[in-house]
Amino acid sequence: MPTIPHPTQGVTNCTRCGAHIRWATGTGSLKGRRIPLNALPSPAGGYAAHTTGLGGLVVRELDAERPNPELLEWKALAHWDSCTGGNGQSTPPSAAPRSRPARRRPTVQPPLFGQPGRGAR
């Protein structure tokens, strides 16, 4: 019997569209990847997610060998498949190039106490 995730624990907002999402760690072919999932279970989802004993969220892809969620898993939908705040790209947000912030000019530090500085005679 599939379970339902906690309604607010581990939920954050998407920076593009503001929807509620959960970050999960992939297993199997997705091992080690961080995947944003919609916060609520979805019957149309292509992933099976479950919480670990320590409160983490683990996700696997539903495939021909294991097409249905097992025991404590629920069907989840990857958020990048349903995000409405993007710029029309079909790539995950983690693959989008990021611009670096402008570099700040170094500031002049005052001399330490007791050390001679500029203008001291």
Side-chain angles (χ1 to χ4, degrees), residues 7 12 22 32 34 45 56 59 64 68 73 76 80-81 87 92 103 109-111 120:
T12 187
R22 299 173 192 270
R34 301 269 296 156
V59 66
N68 297 315
E73 295 178 330
W80 57 62
D81 292 336
N87 52 3
R103 293 182 64 178
Q109 298 292 325

Side-chain angles (χ1 to χ4, degrees), residues 27-91:
T27 60
S29 63
L30 305 170
K31 187 169 177 112
R33 290 183 58 196
R34 301 269 296 156
I35 300 170
L37 301 175
N38 287 347
L40 298 175
S42 171
Y47 296 92
H50 71 277
T51 54
T52 64
L54 300 174
L57 187 62
V58 180
V59 66
R60 69 175 175 87
E61 212 167 358
L62 296 174
D63 54 8
E65 293 177 12
R66 295 167 59 194
N68 297 315
E70 301 170 353
L71 295 179
L72 301 176
E73 295 178 330
W74 66 86
K75 278 190 170 184
L77 184 64
H79 182 65
W80 57 62
D81 292 336
S82 64
C83 185
T84 59
N87 52 3
Q89 294 180 347
S90 61
T91 59

